[in-house]
Amino acid sequence: MPTTLPEVLISEDRIRVRIAELAGQISRDYGDRDEIVMVGVLKGAFIFLADLARAMTIPRRVDFMGLSSYGRGGAQQSGVRLVMDLRESIEGQHVLVVEDIVDTGHTLHYLLDTLFARHPASLKACALVQKRSRTVADVSIDYLGFEIPDRWVVGFGLDYKDRFRTLPYIGTITPDE
Ligand code: PRP
């Protein structure tokens, strides 16, 4: 485990400002809808989702999915498996998937496919950060906080071996293996 504090990549202030902008944009875009369902992807999205949902001004409910992946890495097709499903049906609902990071894009691709098959009224995706240079899956992100370089990032929900998730900023570390 790295012993020094992660180097700041995106400060707490920049994240706060960007989340307020995204919340405003989403609230305007969905302004004429009765309600949206925000689907957070555990574990990483819990902090971003909490801040984003509270900054929004339209009726919304929150649900979660748990996914686990294996064989991750590069352009290799990664396997993604559903380990915890939504509590409620999304049929006929306006659904916004909320992710902390899109890396290869396999997780988001799997998620959008899975949710689309349940016949939502609409389906969009929001991510706090994307490593665009590593994204190989065919995914479109409707609302993106920041594009980031291909570094190991932690904080604001993102982890290294399940640590650093509650760091209030996004930082970079050098993994120790
Ligand atoms: C992270 C992140 C995304 C996924 C993105 O989850 O939360 O769900 O990886 O990677 P991809 O674009 O290459 O598919 P992780 O499996 O690390 O689980 P966690 O959220 O519990 O940390």
Side-chain angles (χ1 to χ4, degrees):
M1 185 65 53
T3 48
T4 51
L5 264 183
E7 188 185 327
V8 178
L9 180 68
I10 309 172
S11 71
E12 200 174 343
D13 277 353
R14 282 184 66 204
I15 296 172
R16 186 170 46 241
V17 168
R18 188 71 186 117
I19 289 178
E21 287 171 358
L22 289 173
Q25 193 185 343
I26 294 166
S27 299
R28 282 191 298 279
D29 290 355
Y30 287 91
D32 56 348
R33 308 297 186 198
D34 291 341
E35 182 182 67
I36 73 165
V37 182
M38 302 174 75
V39 172
V41 186
L42 295 174
K43 296 180 185 176
F46 80 111
I47 290 181
F48 175 46
L49 174 63
D51 281 8
L52 183 69
R54 288 180 299 169
M56 283 166 48
T57 55
I58 52 171
R60 64 270 187 203
R61 62 184 178 88
V62 171
D63 210 335
F64 289 96
M65 283 180 110
L67 300 175
S68 110
S69 55
Y70 53 92
R72 171 160 297 163
Q76 204 180 357
Q77 178 70 36
S78 139
V80 181
R81 197 165 52 90
L82 185 64
V83 294
M84 191 192 92
D85 208 341
L86 299 172
R87 288 263 185 99
E88 310 287 338
S89 165
I90 54 160
E91 188 170 350
Q93 306 285 309
H94 295 283
V95 175
L96 180 65
V97 172
V98 180
E99 262 286 25
D100 52 340
I101 183 167
V102 175
D103 183 357
T104 64
H106 290 312
T107 304
L108 182 59
H109 190 268
Y110 170 88
L111 207 56
L112 292 173
D113 265 6
T114 302
L115 296 178
F116 186 73
R118 299 180 184 185
H119 308 292
S122 69
L123 182 58
K124 285 188 179 182
C126 176
L128 180 58
V129 298
Q130 180 187 17
K131 287 184 185 172
R132 196 180 298 261
S133 64
R134 281 183 45 88
T135 304
V136 290
D138 181 19
V139 286
S140 77
I141 304 170
D142 301 279
Y143 304 98
L144 177 64
F146 303 93
E147 197 175 313
I148 58 169
D150 184 13
R151 302 278 312 277
W152 194 291
V153 284
V154 294
F156 224 85
L158 295 153
D159 72 307
Y160 174 66
K161 296 185 177 173
D162 219 25
R163 302 294 198 287
F164 299 118
R165 287 195 199 275
T166 55
L167 206 64
Y169 61 91
I170 293 175
T172 57
I173 57 164
T174 304
D176 52 14
E177 79 246 28

